Coordinates of all heavy atoms in Angstrom, one line a residue:
M1 N 153.0 169.0 127.8 CA 151.5 168.7 127.8 C 151.1 168.5 126.4 O 151.3 169.4 125.5 CB 150.8 169.9 128.3 CG 149.3 169.8 128.5 SD 148.9 168.5 129.8 CE 147.1 168.5 129.6
P2 N 150.6 167.3 126.0 CA 150.1 167.1 124.6 C 148.8 167.8 124.2 O 148.2 168.3 125.1 CB 149.7 165.5 124.6 CG 149.6 165.1 126.0 CD 150.3 166.2 126.9
E3 N 148.9 168.3 123.0 CA 147.7 169.1 122.5 C 146.4 168.2 122.6 O 146.3 167.2 122.1 CB 148.0 169.7 121.1 CG 147.0 170.6 120.6 CD 147.1 170.8 119.1 OE1 148.2 170.4 118.6 OE2 146.3 171.4 118.6
M4 N 145.4 168.8 123.2 CA 144.2 168.1 123.3 C 143.3 168.5 122.0 O 142.4 169.2 122.0 CB 143.3 168.6 124.5 CG 144.1 168.2 125.8 SD 143.9 166.4 126.2 CE 142.3 166.3 126.9
K5 N 143.5 167.8 120.9 CA 142.8 168.0 119.8 C 141.6 167.1 119.7 O 141.7 165.9 119.9 CB 143.7 167.6 118.5 CG 143.2 168.0 117.2 CD 144.3 167.6 116.1 CE 143.7 167.2 114.8 NZ 143.1 165.8 114.8
P6 N 140.5 167.7 119.5 CA 139.2 167.0 119.6 C 139.3 165.8 118.4 O 139.7 166.0 117.3 CB 138.1 167.9 119.3 CG 138.7 169.3 119.6 CD 140.1 169.1 119.2
L7 N 138.7 164.7 118.8 CA 138.6 163.6 117.9 C 137.5 163.7 116.9 O 136.5 164.3 117.2 CB 138.5 162.2 118.6 CG 139.4 161.8 119.6 CD1 139.1 160.5 120.3 CD2 140.8 161.7 119.0
N8 N 137.6 163.3 115.7 CA 136.5 163.2 114.7 C 135.9 161.8 115.0 O 136.4 161.0 115.7 CB 136.8 163.4 113.3 CG 137.8 162.4 112.8 OD1 137.9 161.3 113.2 ND2 138.6 162.9 112.0
C9 N 134.8 161.5 114.3 CA 134.0 160.2 114.5 C 134.9 159.1 114.1 O 134.9 158.1 114.9 CB 132.8 160.2 113.7 SG 131.5 161.4 114.4
E10 N 135.6 159.2 113.2 CA 136.4 158.0 112.7 C 137.5 157.7 113.8 O 137.7 156.6 114.1 CB 137.0 158.4 111.4 CG 137.6 157.2 110.7 CD 138.3 157.5 109.3 OE1 138.1 158.6 108.8 OE2 139.1 156.9 108.9
E11 N 138.2 158.7 114.3 CA 139.2 158.5 115.3 C 138.6 158.0 116.7 O 139.1 157.1 117.3 CB 139.9 159.9 115.6 CG 140.7 160.3 114.4 CD 141.2 161.7 114.6 OE1 140.5 162.5 115.2 OE2 142.3 162.1 114.0
A12 N 137.5 158.6 117.0 CA 136.7 158.1 118.3 C 136.3 156.6 118.0 O 136.5 155.8 119.0 CB 135.6 159.0 118.6
F13 N 135.8 156.3 117.0 CA 135.3 154.9 116.6 C 136.4 154.0 116.7 O 136.2 152.9 117.2 CB 134.6 155.0 115.2 CG 133.7 153.9 114.9 CD1 132.4 153.9 115.3 CD2 134.1 152.7 114.3 CE1 131.5 152.9 115.1 CE2 133.3 151.7 114.0 CZ 132.0 151.7 114.4
A14 N 137.7 154.3 116.1 CA 138.7 153.4 116.1 C 139.2 153.1 117.5 O 139.9 152.1 117.7 CB 139.9 154.0 115.3
R15 N 138.9 153.9 118.5 CA 139.4 153.9 119.9 C 138.3 153.2 120.8 O 138.6 153.0 122.0 CB 139.9 155.1 120.4 CG 141.1 155.6 119.8 CD 141.4 157.1 120.1 NE 142.7 157.5 119.6 CZ 143.0 157.9 118.4 NH1 142.1 157.8 117.4 NH2 144.2 158.3 118.1
L16 N 137.1 153.0 120.1 CA 136.0 152.6 121.1 C 136.4 151.3 121.9 O 136.1 151.3 123.1 CB 134.7 152.4 120.3 CG 133.8 153.5 120.2 CD1 132.5 153.2 119.6 CD2 133.5 154.1 121.7
D17 N 136.8 150.3 121.2 CA 137.2 149.0 121.9 C 138.1 149.2 123.0 O 137.9 148.8 124.2 CB 137.7 148.0 120.9 CG 136.5 147.4 120.0 OD1 135.3 147.5 120.4 OD2 136.9 146.8 119.0
D18 N 139.2 150.0 122.7 CA 140.2 150.2 123.8 C 139.7 151.1 124.9 O 140.1 150.9 126.1 CB 141.5 150.7 123.2 CG 142.2 149.7 122.4 OD1 142.0 148.5 122.6 OD2 143.0 150.1 121.5
F19 N 138.8 152.0 124.5 CA 138.2 152.8 125.5 C 137.3 152.0 126.4 O 137.4 152.2 127.7 CB 137.2 153.9 124.9 CG 136.5 154.8 125.8 CD1 137.2 155.8 126.4 CD2 135.2 154.6 126.0 CE1 136.4 156.7 127.2 CE2 134.5 155.5 126.8 CZ 135.1 156.5 127.4
I20 N 136.5 151.1 125.9 CA 135.6 150.2 126.8 C 136.6 149.3 127.7 O 136.3 149.2 128.8 CB 134.8 149.4 125.9 CG1 133.7 150.1 125.3 CG2 134.1 148.2 126.8 CD1 133.0 149.6 124.1
D21 N 137.7 148.9 127.2 CA 138.7 148.0 127.9 C 139.6 149.0 128.8 O 140.4 148.3 129.5 CB 139.5 147.1 127.0 CG 138.6 146.1 126.3 OD1 137.5 145.8 126.9 OD2 139.1 145.6 125.3
R22 N 139.4 150.1 128.7 CA 140.2 151.2 129.5 C 141.8 150.9 129.1 O 142.5 150.9 130.0 CB 140.0 151.0 130.9 CG 138.5 151.4 131.3 CD 138.3 151.7 132.7 NE 136.9 152.1 133.0 CZ 136.5 153.4 132.7 NH1 137.3 154.3 132.1 NH2 135.2 153.6 132.9
E23 N 142.1 150.7 127.9 CA 143.4 150.4 127.6 C 144.1 151.6 126.9 O 145.2 151.5 126.4 CB 143.5 149.1 126.7 CG 143.3 147.9 127.5 CD 143.3 146.7 126.6 OE1 143.3 146.7 125.4 OE2 143.2 145.5 127.2
L24 N 143.4 152.7 126.8 CA 143.9 153.8 126.2 C 144.8 154.7 127.3 O 144.6 154.4 128.5 CB 142.8 154.8 125.7 CG 141.9 154.3 124.6 CD1 140.7 155.2 124.3 CD2 142.7 154.1 123.4
S25 N 145.6 155.5 126.7 CA 146.3 156.5 127.7 C 145.1 157.5 128.3 O 144.2 157.5 127.8 CB 147.3 157.3 126.9 OG 146.7 158.2 126.1
P26 N 145.5 157.9 129.5 CA 144.5 158.8 130.1 C 144.1 160.0 129.3 O 142.9 160.4 129.2 CB 145.3 159.4 131.3 CG 146.3 158.3 131.7 CD 146.6 157.7 130.4
V27 N 145.0 160.5 128.3 CA 144.7 161.6 127.5 C 143.7 161.2 126.5 O 142.6 161.8 126.2 CB 146.0 162.2 126.9 CG1 145.5 163.1 125.8 CG2 146.7 162.9 127.8
E28 N 143.9 159.9 125.9 CA 143.0 159.5 124.9 C 141.6 159.0 125.5 O 140.7 159.2 124.8 CB 143.7 158.2 124.2 CG 144.8 158.7 123.2 CD 145.2 157.6 122.3 OE1 145.4 156.5 122.7 OE2 145.1 157.8 121.0
Q29 N 141.7 158.4 126.7 CA 140.4 158.1 127.4 C 139.6 159.5 127.5 O 138.3 159.5 127.1 CB 140.7 157.7 128.8 CG 141.2 156.3 128.9 CD 140.2 155.1 128.7 OE1 140.4 154.1 128.2 NE2 138.9 155.4 129.2
Q30 N 140.3 160.5 127.9 CA 139.5 161.8 127.9 C 139.0 162.4 126.6 O 137.9 162.8 126.7 CB 140.6 162.8 128.6 CG 140.1 164.2 128.6 CD 139.2 164.5 129.9 OE1 139.3 163.6 130.8 NE2 138.5 165.4 129.9
L31 N 139.8 162.2 125.6 CA 139.4 162.6 124.3 C 138.2 161.8 123.8 O 137.3 162.4 123.3 CB 140.6 162.4 123.2 CG 141.7 163.5 123.4 CD1 142.9 163.2 122.5 CD2 141.3 165.0 123.1
V32 N 138.3 160.6 124.0 CA 137.1 159.7 123.6 C 135.9 160.2 124.3 O 134.7 160.3 123.9 CB 137.4 158.2 123.6 CG1 136.1 157.4 123.2 CG2 138.5 157.8 122.7
Q33 N 136.0 160.3 125.7 CA 134.9 160.7 126.6 C 134.3 162.0 126.1 O 133.1 162.1 126.0 CB 135.4 160.8 128.0 CG 134.3 161.1 129.0 CD 133.2 160.0 129.0 OE1 133.5 158.9 129.3 NE2 132.1 160.4 128.7
E34 N 135.2 163.0 125.8 CA 134.7 164.3 125.3 C 133.9 164.2 124.0 O 132.9 164.8 123.8 CB 135.9 165.3 125.2 CG 136.4 165.7 126.6 CD 137.5 166.7 126.5 OE1 137.9 166.9 125.3 OE2 138.1 167.0 127.6
H35 N 134.4 163.3 123.1 CA 133.7 163.1 121.8 C 132.3 162.5 122.1 O 131.4 162.9 121.5 CB 134.5 162.3 120.9 CG 133.9 162.1 119.6 ND1 134.0 163.0 118.5 CD2 133.0 161.1 119.1 CE1 133.3 162.7 117.5 NE2 132.7 161.5 117.8
L36 N 132.2 161.5 123.0 CA 131.0 160.8 123.2 C 130.0 161.9 123.9 O 128.8 161.8 123.8 CB 131.2 159.7 124.3 CG 132.0 158.6 123.7 CD1 132.1 157.3 124.8 CD2 131.3 157.8 122.5
N37 N 130.6 162.9 124.6 CA 129.7 163.9 125.3 C 128.9 164.6 124.2 O 128.0 165.4 124.5 CB 130.5 164.9 126.2 CG 130.8 164.0 127.5 OD1 130.5 163.0 127.8 ND2 131.9 164.6 128.1
V38 N 129.7 164.9 123.1 CA 129.0 165.8 122.1 C 128.6 165.1 120.9 O 128.0 165.7 119.8 CB 130.2 166.8 121.6 CG1 130.5 167.7 122.8 CG2 131.3 166.2 121.1
C39 N 128.7 163.7 120.6 CA 128.3 163.0 119.5 C 127.5 161.9 119.9 O 127.8 160.8 120.4 CB 129.6 162.5 118.8 SG 129.2 161.6 117.3
A40 N 126.1 162.0 119.5 CA 125.1 161.1 119.8 C 125.3 159.7 119.1 O 125.1 158.8 119.6 CB 123.6 161.7 119.6
H41 N 125.8 159.8 117.8 CA 126.1 158.7 117.0 C 127.1 157.8 117.6 O 126.8 156.7 117.9 CB 126.5 159.1 115.6 CG 126.8 158.0 114.7 ND1 125.9 157.2 114.2 CD2 128.2 157.5 114.3 CE1 126.5 156.3 113.4 NE2 127.8 156.4 113.6
C42 N 128.2 158.3 118.1 CA 129.3 157.5 118.6 C 128.8 157.1 120.0 O 129.3 155.9 120.5 CB 130.6 158.4 118.7 SG 131.4 158.6 117.2
L43 N 128.2 157.9 120.8 CA 127.7 157.5 122.1 C 126.7 156.2 122.0 O 126.9 155.3 122.7 CB 126.8 158.6 122.7 CG 126.4 158.4 124.1 CD1 127.5 158.0 125.1 CD2 125.5 159.5 124.6
A44 N 125.8 156.3 120.9 CA 125.0 155.1 120.6 C 125.8 153.8 120.3 O 125.5 152.8 120.8 CB 124.0 155.4 119.5
E45 N 126.9 154.0 119.6 CA 127.7 152.9 119.2 C 128.5 152.4 120.5 O 128.6 151.2 120.6 CB 128.7 153.5 118.2 CG 129.7 152.2 117.6 CD 128.8 151.1 116.8 OE1 127.7 151.4 116.4 OE2 129.2 150.0 117.0
Y46 N 128.9 153.3 121.3 CA 129.6 152.9 122.5 C 128.7 152.1 123.4 O 129.2 151.1 124.0 CB 130.1 154.3 123.2 CG 130.4 154.0 124.6 CD1 131.5 153.4 125.0 CD2 129.7 154.6 125.6 CE1 131.8 153.1 126.4 CE2 129.8 154.4 127.0 CZ 131.0 153.6 127.3 OH 131.2 153.5 128.7
K47 N 127.5 152.6 123.6 CA 126.6 151.9 124.4 C 126.4 150.5 124.0 O 126.3 149.5 124.6 CB 125.3 152.6 124.6 CG 125.3 153.8 125.5 CD 124.1 154.6 125.7 CE 124.2 155.7 126.7 NZ 123.0 156.5 126.7
F48 N 126.2 150.3 122.6 CA 125.9 149.1 121.9 C 127.2 148.1 122.2 O 127.0 147.0 122.7 CB 125.7 149.4 120.4 CG 125.5 148.0 119.7 CD1 124.3 147.4 119.8 CD2 126.6 147.6 118.8 CE1 124.2 146.3 119.0 CE2 126.2 146.4 118.1 CZ 125.1 145.8 118.2
E49 N 128.4 148.7 122.0 CA 129.4 147.9 122.1 C 129.7 147.5 123.6 O 130.1 146.3 124.1 CB 130.8 148.5 121.6 CG 130.7 148.6 120.2 CD 132.1 148.7 119.5 OE1 133.0 148.3 120.2 OE2 132.2 149.1 118.4
A50 N 129.5 148.5 124.6 CA 129.7 148.2 125.9 C 128.6 147.1 126.4 O 129.0 146.4 127.3 CB 129.5 149.5 126.8
A51 N 127.5 147.2 125.9 CA 126.5 146.2 126.3 C 126.9 144.8 125.9 O 126.8 143.8 126.7 CB 125.2 146.5 125.6
I52 N 127.5 144.6 124.7 CA 128.1 143.4 124.3 C 129.2 142.8 125.2 O 129.2 141.7 125.6 CB 128.5 143.5 122.8 CG1 127.4 143.7 121.9 CG2 129.4 142.2 122.4 CD1 127.8 144.0 120.4
V53 N 130.1 143.8 125.5 CA 131.2 143.5 126.4 C 130.7 143.1 127.7 O 131.2 142.1 128.3 CB 132.3 144.7 126.5 CG1 133.2 144.4 127.6 CG2 132.9 144.9 125.2
D54 N 129.8 143.7 128.3 CA 129.1 143.4 129.5 C 128.5 142.0 129.5 O 128.6 141.2 130.4 CB 128.1 144.4 129.9 CG 128.7 145.7 130.6 OD1 130.0 145.7 130.8 OD2 128.0 146.6 130.8
G55 N 127.8 141.8 128.3 CA 127.1 140.5 128.1 C 128.2 139.4 128.1 O 128.0 138.4 128.7
I56 N 129.3 139.5 127.6 CA 130.4 138.5 127.4 C 131.0 138.3 128.9 O 131.1 137.2 129.3 CB 131.5 138.9 126.5 CG1 131.0 139.0 125.0 CG2 132.7 138.1 126.6 CD1 131.9 139.6 124.0
K57 N 131.2 139.4 129.6 CA 131.7 139.2 131.0 C 130.7 138.5 131.9 O 131.2 137.6 132.6 CB 132.1 140.6 131.5 CG 133.3 141.2 130.9 CD 133.6 142.6 131.6 CE 135.0 143.2 131.1 NZ 135.0 144.6 131.3
E58 N 129.5 138.9 131.6 CA 128.4 138.2 132.5 C 128.5 136.7 132.2 O 128.3 135.9 133.0 CB 127.1 138.8 132.1 CG 125.9 138.3 132.8 CD 125.8 138.7 134.4 OE1 126.8 139.5 134.8 OE2 125.2 138.1 135.1
K59 N 128.6 136.4 130.8 CA 128.6 135.0 130.5 C 129.8 134.2 131.1 O 129.6 133.1 131.6 CB 128.6 134.8 128.9 CG 127.3 134.8 128.3 CD 127.4 134.2 127.0 CE 126.1 134.5 126.0 NZ 126.3 135.7 125.3
M60 N 130.8 134.9 131.0 CA 132.1 134.3 131.7 C 132.1 134.1 133.2 O 132.4 133.1 133.7 CB 133.3 135.2 131.2 CG 133.8 135.0 129.9 SD 135.0 136.2 129.3 CE 136.3 135.8 130.4
R61 N 131.3 135.1 133.7 CA 131.2 135.0 135.2 C 130.3 133.7 135.5 O 130.6 133.0 136.5 CB 130.5 136.3 135.6 CG 130.6 136.5 137.2 CD 130.0 137.8 137.5 NE 128.6 137.8 137.3 CZ 127.8 137.2 138.0 NH1 128.1 136.6 139.1 NH2 126.5 137.3 137.8
K62 N 129.2 133.6 134.7 CA 128.4 132.5 135.0 C 129.0 131.2 134.7 O 128.8 130.1 135.3 CB 127.0 132.7 134.0 CG 126.1 133.6 134.6 CD 124.8 133.8 133.8 CE 123.9 134.8 134.4 NZ 123.0 135.3 133.4
M63 N 129.9 131.2 133.7 CA 130.6 129.9 133.3 C 131.5 129.5 134.4 O 131.9 128.3 134.6 CB 131.4 130.0 132.1 CG 130.5 129.9 130.9 SD 131.3 130.5 129.3 CE 132.7 129.3 129.3
Q64 N 131.9 130.4 135.2 CA 132.9 130.1 136.3 C 132.1 129.5 137.6 O 132.7 128.9 138.4 CB 133.6 131.3 136.8 CG 134.8 131.6 135.7 CD 135.4 133.0 136.1 OE1 135.0 133.7 136.9 NE2 136.4 133.4 135.3
V65 N 130.9 129.7 137.7 CA 130.1 129.2 138.7 C 130.2 127.7 139.0 O 130.5 127.2 140.1 CB 128.6 129.6 138.7 CG1 127.8 129.0 139.8 CG2 128.5 131.1 138.8
P66 N 130.1 126.9 137.9 CA 130.1 125.4 138.1 C 131.5 125.1 138.7 O 131.5 124.2 139.5 CB 130.0 124.9 136.8 CG 129.2 125.9 136.1 CD 129.7 127.2 136.6
Q67 N 132.6 125.7 138.3 CA 133.9 125.4 138.8 C 133.9 125.7 140.2 O 134.4 125.0 141.1 CB 134.9 126.2 138.0 CG 135.6 125.5 136.9 CD 136.7 126.3 136.2 OE1 136.8 127.5 136.4 NE2 137.5 125.7 135.5
E68 N 133.5 126.9 140.6 CA 133.5 127.3 142.0 C 132.8 126.4 142.9 O 133.0 126.0 144.0 CB 133.0 128.7 142.2 CG 133.9 129.8 141.8 CD 133.3 131.2 141.8 OE1 132.3 131.4 142.5 OE2 133.9 132.0 141.1
L69 N 131.6 126.1 142.2 CA 130.7 125.1 143.0 C 131.3 123.7 143.2 O 131.3 123.2 144.4 CB 129.3 124.9 142.2 CG 128.2 124.3 142.9 CD1 127.8 125.4 144.0 CD2 127.0 124.1 142.0
S70 N 132.0 123.1 142.3 CA 132.7 121.9 142.3 C 133.8 122.0 143.3 O 134.1 121.1 144.1 CB 133.0 121.3 141.0 OG 134.0 122.2 140.5
A71 N 134.4 123.2 143.3 CA 135.6 123.4 144.3 C 135.1 123.3 145.7 O 135.6 122.7 146.6 CB 136.3 124.5 143.9
R72 N 134.0 123.9 145.8 CA 133.3 124.2 147.2 C 132.8 122.6 147.6 O 133.0 122.4 148.7 CB 132.2 125.1 147.1 CG 132.0 125.8 148.4 CD 131.0 126.9 148.4 NE 131.3 127.9 147.3 CZ 130.3 128.6 146.6 NH1 129.1 128.4 146.8 NH2 130.7 129.5 145.7
L73 N 132.2 122.0 146.7 CA 131.7 120.6 147.1 C 133.0 119.8 147.4 O 132.9 118.9 148.4 CB 131.0 120.0 145.9 CG 129.6 120.6 145.6 CD1 129.0 120.1 144.4 CD2 128.7 120.2 146.8
G74 N 134.0 120.0 146.7 CA 135.3 119.2 147.0 C 135.8 119.4 148.4 O 136.1 118.4 149.1
R75 N 135.8 120.8 148.7 CA 136.3 121.0 150.1 C 135.3 120.4 151.1 O 135.8 120.0 152.2 CB 136.4 122.6 150.2 CG 137.6 123.1 149.6 CD 138.0 124.5 150.2 NE 136.9 125.5 149.9 CZ 136.8 126.1 148.8 NH1 137.8 125.9 147.8 NH2 135.9 126.9 148.4
A76 N 134.0 120.6 150.8 CA 133.0 120.1 151.8 C 133.2 118.6 152.1 O 133.1 118.2 153.2 CB 131.5 120.4 151.2
L77 N 133.5 117.8 150.9 CA 133.6 116.5 151.1 C 134.9 116.2 151.9 O 134.9 115.2 152.7 CB 133.8 115.8 149.6 CG 132.4 115.7 148.9 CD1 132.6 115.2 147.5 CD2 131.4 115.0 149.5
D78 N 136.0 117.0 151.6 CA 137.2 116.7 152.3 C 137.1 116.9 153.8 O 137.6 116.2 154.6 CB 138.3 117.8 151.8 CG 138.9 117.4 150.5 OD1 138.6 116.2 150.1 OD2 139.6 118.1 149.9
S79 N 136.3 117.8 154.2 CA 136.2 118.2 155.6 C 135.1 117.3 156.3 O 135.0 117.4 157.5 CB 135.8 119.7 155.9 OG 134.6 119.9 155.2
A80 N 134.3 116.6 155.5 CA 133.3 115.7 156.0 C 133.9 114.5 156.7 O 135.0 114.0 156.4 CB 132.3 115.2 155.0
Ligands
ZN101 ZN1 131.2 160.8 116.7

């Protein structure tokens, strides 16, 4: 069992991107989560970054719509 040493701000900050992408080990996810629970500064930064990541995902999702639409139109034309 690895030692659950609390992260300081610098350590939590360095892991934020991977935390948002869920690419940390379960132990590190837990450590970052625990730091966010007690540190308003890092929590604010996390929310800021997570909002940007969500925004990018939303944009990518919207960019896929025309492709899906044209594929659907293509199938509709094939079956007509
Ligand atoms: Zn912090």
Side-chain angles (χ1 to χ4, degrees):
M1 190 68 188
E3 188 190 348
M4 296 287 278
K5 184 172 152 292
L7 300 178
N8 61 32
C9 284
E10 198 181 339
E11 290 168 330
F13 199 84
R15 289 166 172 79
L16 266 186
D17 282 346
D18 287 339
F19 177 76
I20 291 166
D21 292 337
R22 301 198 173 279
E23 285 175 354
L24 297 174
S25 69
V27 171
E28 284 196 308
Q29 287 278 145
Q30 177 79 19
L31 286 171
V32 174
Q33 182 63 59
E34 281 175 10
H35 184 82
L36 294 180
N37 288 345
V38 298
C39 180
H41 176 75
C42 288
L43 182 62
E45 186 62 30
Y46 161 71
K47 284 183 174 170
F48 179 72
E49 292 208 16
I52 290 171
V53 170
D54 281 351
I56 290 167
K57 281 183 184 158
E58 180 71 8
K59 275 205 192 87
M60 284 171 66
R61 199 178 62 77
K62 281 182 180 156
M63 279 169 62
Q64 283 171 355
V65 169
Q67 264 184 343
E68 282 173 22
L69 197 63
S70 61
R72 212 175 302 149
L73 283 173
R75 278 199 299 276
L77 289 174
D78 282 346
S79 64

